[in-house]
């Protein structure tokens, strides 16, 4: 179900980050090539899929774009569980959103799939004159934590496709069978099934 | 797009092949996507059939109008206030001599409400039957005005989230040139004089709506949301409420009535803590929903479970926005008609109905993406509210508010335990991380 042949890969990808950082805008740019000045706020999460050709393989991303407001974080495990990749998004004009991003990284490191490919996206790179987080600071942080880092702009499209391509390239080609994307979504009351989940 | 094509996809493909072979006006019309405005001014995309359905709905609405006016004429204005409340809204103590007629009224009323309240009567009927009128009557007349005046200019966590102002660039969110540029880009130079601040979560609520997405609409929505965040600081502002409050404004017409409807919804109609802190109430509702799906639609539940598809992935938004982001406006409001009279169990009926309606298609899915696309296609095109409500109330089987309360009580401890564990894990993470 999850991995089809050698050349086709399905990968669950989750976007996490503070509200208004531009998660939905990044997805909209990547999936539809569009940008809206006012993107409807996401409630719960929204699902998208997009296929990329990387070298001789195709990667079909199943993207969960999550809600950013803090109280929604209790829903996040449902979306990142079993994810093969995550993009943690912050807004380069907000130090708060960068701190929030770091918290997401910690949570994923502890609770997420251990083979997860994690990308840090400093979004709104077009707002250079409002910048509060330097690229250098983010790069150092990303290196220390084993993430790859790019500054993106959903508005100008800068680095948007690139970040998804980079993730696609880094995905382990043969996904271990016991850990397919999309696995263990259900948080059932007790009953042993929870023991199989890596992060409930 | 997906490995396995659903029946619908195949049918569509077949249809498009026919079109190539023998193009007819009919098939070309059916495939033509048009943009049109629905009853509440929302722009919707659909094909010609959708437009026709919507016209039929308009005609049905006119018919409902006639029925309700005829009842007013025979039973007197506000007759529905004199009915024994058999739902959950605010009831009234009645003299025993009135009881029989009031019971008859109540039965008529329940049926009538399920058939839909005409949009012109909605503000009045909702306000009385939901208990909002009663709630408002317990405070001084000037409550809302005083509240909005008192909170004007105050900055709290809730207002920051509504306005999307960050603490670290609080004083310089947008400079005047940017505001000017934005308005020029949007051909809205006149708006410059109306706005002294530039909120962000407001234009993100139904963008493009002819009234909601104007300076006046944003300001009204902001006052309702900020006002409520001060009334109940536990709820404060929760994303999702922006959509709910926006629709309430469209229906109720006045800000103050929309505010009281929001209050009665959060304080009396819905289960507690749906929107507070860690959305614990919403987590409980999701578990109850999963159990109900397994009981009422066992084949779907088994199929989705085998696929490792958690229904909360899609149902969370339905419960938090009360379908306002997924169903066409009149369909959403028909759900709300019943919600305000019969209570929160209605959300379960409707959510189950969405699955039930597409049972055959859902059983053919093999992948998360397919499930979601079936459900989205279904909800977005439910222009005829009766299609949905007939299933919700006639085909799901009865569920009383009582059974659902019991289910909630059963799920609560486990939810609280899990949320608590998660919090503790995260806190220990922060300590180690620093």
């Amino acid at each position: 179900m999850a991995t089809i042949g050698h050349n086709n890969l399905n990968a669950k990808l989750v976007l996490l980050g503070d509200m208004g950082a531009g998660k939905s805008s990044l997805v909209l740019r990547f999936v539809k090539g569009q940008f809206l000045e006012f993107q409807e706020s996401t409630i719960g999460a929204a699902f998208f899929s997009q296929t990329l050709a990387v070298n001789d393989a195709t990667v079909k991303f199943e993207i969960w774009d999550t809600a950013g407001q803090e109280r929604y974080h209790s829903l996040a495990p449902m979306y990142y569980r079993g994810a093969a990749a995550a993009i943690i998004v912050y807004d380069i004009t907000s130090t708060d959103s960068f701190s929030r991003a770091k918290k997401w990284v910690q949570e994923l490191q502890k609770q997420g799939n251990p083979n997860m490919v994690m990308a840090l996206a400093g979004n709104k790179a077009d707002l250079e004159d409002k910048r509060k987080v330097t690229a250098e600071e983010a790069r150092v942080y990303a290196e220390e934590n084993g993430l790859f880092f790019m500054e993106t702009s959903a508005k100008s499209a800068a680095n948007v496709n690139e970040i998804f391509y980079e993730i696609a390239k880094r995905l382990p080609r043969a996904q271990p069978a016991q850990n397919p994307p999309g696995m263990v979504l259900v948080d059932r009351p007790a009953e042993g099934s929870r023991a199989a989940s890596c992060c409930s | 797009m997906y490995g396995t094509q659903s029946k619908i996809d195949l049918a569509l493909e077949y249809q498009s092949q026919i079109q190539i072979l023998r193009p007819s006006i009919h098939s070309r019309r059916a495939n033509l996507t048009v943009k049109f405005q629905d009853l509440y001014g929302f722009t919707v995309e659909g094909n010609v059939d959708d437009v026709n359905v919507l016209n039929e709905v308009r005609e049905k609405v006119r018919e409902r109008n006639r029925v309700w006016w005829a009842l007013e004429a025979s039973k007197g204005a506000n007759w529905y206030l004199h009915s024994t409340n058999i739902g959950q809204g605010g009831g009234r103590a009645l003299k025993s001599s009135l009881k029989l007629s009031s019971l008859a009224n109540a039965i008529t009323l329940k049926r009538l409400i399920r058939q839909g309240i005409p949009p012109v009567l909605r503000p009045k009927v909702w306000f009385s039957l939901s208990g909002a009128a009663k709630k408002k009557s317990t405070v001084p007349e000037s409550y809302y005005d005083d509240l909005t005046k008192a909170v004007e200019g105050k900055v709290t966590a809730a207002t920051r989230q509504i306005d999307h102002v960050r603490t670290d660039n609080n004083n310089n969110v947008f400079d005047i040139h940017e505001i000017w540029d934005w308005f020029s880009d949007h051909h809205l130079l006149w708006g410059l004089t109306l706005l002294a601040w530039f909120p962000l979560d407001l234009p993100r609520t139904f963008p493009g709506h002819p009234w909601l997405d104007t300076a006046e609409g944003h300001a009204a929505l902001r006052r309702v949301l900020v006002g409520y965040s001060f009334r109940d600081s536990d709820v404060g502002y929760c994303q999702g409420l922006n959509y709910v409050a926006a629709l309430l404004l469209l229906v109720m017409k006045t800000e103050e009535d929309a505010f009281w409807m929001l209050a009665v919804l959060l304080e009396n109609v819905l289960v507690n803590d749906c929107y507070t802190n860690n959305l614990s109430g919403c987590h409980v509702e999701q578990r109850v929903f999963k159990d109900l799906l397994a009981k009422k639609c066992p084949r779907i539940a088994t199929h989705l479970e085998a696929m490792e598809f958690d229904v909360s992935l899609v149902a969370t938004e339905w419960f938090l926005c009360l379908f306002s982001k997924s169903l066409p406006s009149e369909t959403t409001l028909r759900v709300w008609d019943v919600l305000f009279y019969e209570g929160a169990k209605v959300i379960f009926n409707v959510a189950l109905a969405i699955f039930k309606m597409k049972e055959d298609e859902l059983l053919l899915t093999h992948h998360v993406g397919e499930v979601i696309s079936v459900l989205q296609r279904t909800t977005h095109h439910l222009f005829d509210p009766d299609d949905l409500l007939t299933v919700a109330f006639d085909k799901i089987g009865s569920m009383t508010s009582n059974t659902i309360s019991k289910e909630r009580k059963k799920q609560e401890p486990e939810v609280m335990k899990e949320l608590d564990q998660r919090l503790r894990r995260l806190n220990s993470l922060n300590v180690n991380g620093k």
Side-chain angles (χ1 to χ4, degrees):
Chain A
M1 178 191 84
T3 312
I4 310 157
H6 286 295
N7 297 325
N8 299 303
L9 185 72
N10 280 357
K12 179 178 173 182
L13 182 148
V14 63
L15 280 103
L16 298 163
D18 204 0
M19 72 192 269
K23 298 175 292 299
S24 304
S25 294
L26 282 176
V27 179
L28 189 71
R29 174 61 80 187
F30 173 58
V31 175
K32 295 191 180 157
Q34 295 172 349
F35 177 78
L36 299 172
E37 196 68 47
F38 297 111
Q39 174 75 38
E40 276 203 10
S41 38
T42 309
I43 308 304
F47 178 85
F48 301 87
S49 73
Q50 177 72 304
T51 305
L52 276 186
V54 183
N55 304 325
D56 58 340
T58 63
V59 174
K60 188 177 145 196
F61 281 118
E62 291 155 359
I63 303 166
W64 284 104
D65 169 27
T66 63
Q69 198 184 11
E70 189 154 354
R71 63 186 77 184
Y72 278 85
H73 292 181
S74 61
L75 298 168
M78 172 163 81
Y79 299 104
Y80 67 63
R81 209 167 282 156
I87 304 181
I88 295 116
V89 186
Y90 69 92
D91 166 359
I92 66 154
T93 72
S94 155
T95 49
D96 279 359
S97 76
F98 187 54
S99 316
R100 172 56 57 198
K102 290 179 182 170
K103 285 189 182 156
W104 278 122
V105 172
Q106 284 186 341
E107 180 167 346
L108 291 179
Q109 283 170 340
K110 186 90 176 265
Q111 324 254 56
N113 163 10
N115 302 320
M116 190 187 283
V117 177
M118 280 197 262
L120 181 67
N123 194 37
K124 307 196 188 178
D126 52 290
L127 298 177
E128 187 55 51
D129 53 337
K130 298 233 155 2
R131 179 191 286 279
K132 293 272 163 44
V133 183
T134 65
E136 192 47 34
E137 183 185 356
R139 183 167 295 112
V140 169
Y141 172 79
E143 267 169 31
E144 284 169 1
N145 287 276
L147 318 164
F148 78 89
F149 166 68
M150 279 186 185
E151 284 198 346
T152 56
S153 165
K155 190 171 187 173
S156 74
N159 273 344
V160 176
N161 288 341
E162 286 78 357
I163 202 165
F164 285 91
Y165 271 101
E166 193 57 36
I167 291 171
K169 277 195 276 178
R170 288 171 189 237
L171 286 171
R173 273 300 167 264
Q175 294 261 317
Q178 71 273 20
N179 198 13
M183 188 194 178
V184 205
L185 290 167
V186 189
D187 223 354
R188 290 179 207 88
E191 286 177 8
S193 67
R194 291 192 336 118
S197 154
C198 55
C199 41
S200 65
Chain B
M1 192 167 184
Y2 303 113
T4 319
Q5 281 180 305
S6 67
K7 265 186 193 164
I8 280 258
D9 287 336
L10 288 171
L12 284 175
E13 201 165 277
Y14 185 59
Q15 196 180 1
S16 61
Q17 279 167 3
I18 294 175
Q19 195 192 338
I20 295 160
L21 295 172
R22 208 169 41 145
S24 69
I25 289 169
H26 179 76
S27 61
R28 262 181 290 157
R29 274 168 47 116
N31 286 334
L32 202 70
T33 301
V34 283
K35 279 191 179 178
F36 49 93
Q37 275 203 346
D38 72 6
L39 275 73
Y40 281 87
F42 291 94
T43 303
V44 245
E45 262 181 55
N47 58 32
V48 177
D49 290 341
D50 293 328
V51 179
N52 290 337
V53 170
L54 214 70
N55 285 334
E56 283 165 27
V57 170
R58 280 178 215 270
E59 186 44 49
K60 279 196 229 174
V61 163
R62 278 190 283 270
E63 177 56 34
R64 302 304 310 147
N65 258 331
R66 287 191 282 273
V67 172
W68 280 74
W69 290 126
L71 275 162
E72 292 230 332
S74 71
K75 291 177 185 261
N78 303 331
W79 64 275
Y80 42 84
L81 294 180
H82 311 297
S83 70
T84 304
N85 195 295
I86 48 176
Q88 94 139 46
R92 285 178 176 228
L94 292 151
K95 287 179 194 157
S96 57
S97 61
L98 275 173
K99 263 188 182 160
L100 202 64
S101 74
S102 70
L103 187 66
N105 277 354
I107 293 165
T108 314
L109 188 58
K110 186 174 173 182
R111 189 173 44 84
L112 275 176
I113 286 174
R114 286 186 177 193
Q115 288 166 349
I117 301 169
V120 279
L121 286 177
R122 244 175 213 143
K124 205 173 106 186
V125 179
W126 278 11
F127 206 64
S128 330
L129 292 181
S130 65
K134 200 175 161 196
K135 196 175 268 292
K136 187 188 169 190
S137 72
T138 60
V139 295
E141 192 75 4
S142 59
Y143 180 94
Y144 183 72
D145 284 342
D146 295 346
L147 180 68
T148 46
K149 280 199 197 95
V151 305
E152 215 174 76
K154 292 236 168 70
V155 177
T156 63
T159 64
R160 273 200 294 271
Q161 288 177 332
I162 293 164
D163 297 343
H164 248 277
V165 180
R166 297 190 188 284
T167 42
D168 51 345
N169 55 6
N170 213 340
N171 300 321
N172 185 22
V173 185
F174 279 87
D175 64 31
I176 193 75
H177 299 102
E178 273 179 316
I179 296 178
W180 181 264
D181 285 347
W182 185 81
F183 279 110
S184 318
D185 288 344
H186 292 74
H187 312 287
L188 289 171
L189 291 168
W190 51 267
L192 192 59
T193 49
L194 296 172
L195 275 185
W197 40 265
F198 199 88
L200 249 163
D201 227 15
L202 303 169
R204 294 175 69 194
T205 312
F206 299 124
H209 185 278
W211 181 74
L212 286 171
D213 202 0
T214 62
E216 193 192 334
H218 295 166
L221 181 59
R222 186 181 190 278
R223 280 190 296 267
V224 171
L225 291 171
V226 172
Y228 194 79
S229 77
F230 277 85
R231 177 178 168 92
D232 186 344
S233 55
D234 285 342
V235 170
Y237 171 63
C238 179
Q239 281 190 315
L241 291 180
N242 50 331
Y243 295 100
V244 174
L247 265 194
L248 286 173
L249 273 169
L250 280 186
V251 174
M252 301 307 290
K253 307 283 196 296
T254 77
E255 238 177 89
E256 186 171 0
D257 288 356
F259 171 84
W260 287 111
M261 287 304 296
L262 186 66
V264 84
L265 183 70
L266 298 184
E267 293 159 19
N268 305 84
V269 177
L270 299 177
V271 63
N272 282 339
D273 291 326
C274 265
Y275 298 95
T276 55
N277 192 6
N278 47 19
L279 311 178
S280 62
C282 178
H283 282 269
V284 173
E285 295 296 78
Q286 289 306 310
R287 277 164 179 268
V288 174
F289 178 59
K290 278 175 217 169
D291 276 5
L292 286 171
L293 189 76
K295 277 188 199 125
K296 304 277 182 182
C297 310
R299 289 168 68 206
I300 300 175
T302 313
H303 182 75
L304 296 181
E305 201 170 322
M307 236 193 276
E308 284 158 344
F309 181 89
D310 183 340
V311 291
S312 301
L313 291 171
V314 289
T316 304
E317 186 206 271
W318 297 348
F319 278 71
L320 287 170
C321 301
L322 306 171
F323 303 103
S324 60
K325 257 174 84 88
S326 352
L327 295 174
S329 65
E330 177 60 13
T331 309
T332 304
L333 298 175
R334 284 282 303 276
V335 172
W336 291 14
D337 285 346
V338 196
L339 172 72
F340 285 127
Y341 188 58
E342 295 187 37
K345 65 161 190 170
V346 167
I347 307 168
F348 293 102
N349 282 83
V350 173
L352 288 168
I354 295 171
F355 280 92
K356 187 90 180 168
M357 287 175 92
K358 292 292 155 178
E359 175 149 21
D360 294 345
E361 265 184 65
L362 287 170
L363 292 176
L364 290 174
T365 56
H366 291 85
H367 209 271
V368 177
E370 288 174 272
V371 180
I372 288 164
S373 91
V374 169
L375 294 172
Q376 279 181 351
R377 208 168 43 224
T378 306
T379 50
H380 292 168
H381 286 90
L382 271 168
F383 290 108
D384 187 347
D386 291 321
D387 287 350
L388 176 66
L389 296 188
T390 312
V391 180
F393 297 115
D394 299 343
K395 303 217 168 114
I396 295 299
S398 87
M399 290 185 295
T400 64
S401 295
N402 220 347
T403 14
I404 296 197
S405 303
K406 275 186 200 149
E407 280 292 314
R408 286 185 187 125
K409 287 249 158 56
K410 212 172 82 189
Q411 302 288 359
E412 242 165 43
E414 187 67 22
V415 167
M416 297 320 270
K417 199 174 105 194
E418 269 188 28
L419 289 173
D420 188 53
Q421 275 172 354
R422 178 183 141 82
L423 210 63
R424 260 187 276 162
R425 263 199 310 264
L426 292 182
N427 285 339
S428 73
L429 223 79
N430 287 343
V431 174
N432 297 340
K434 293 271 154 131

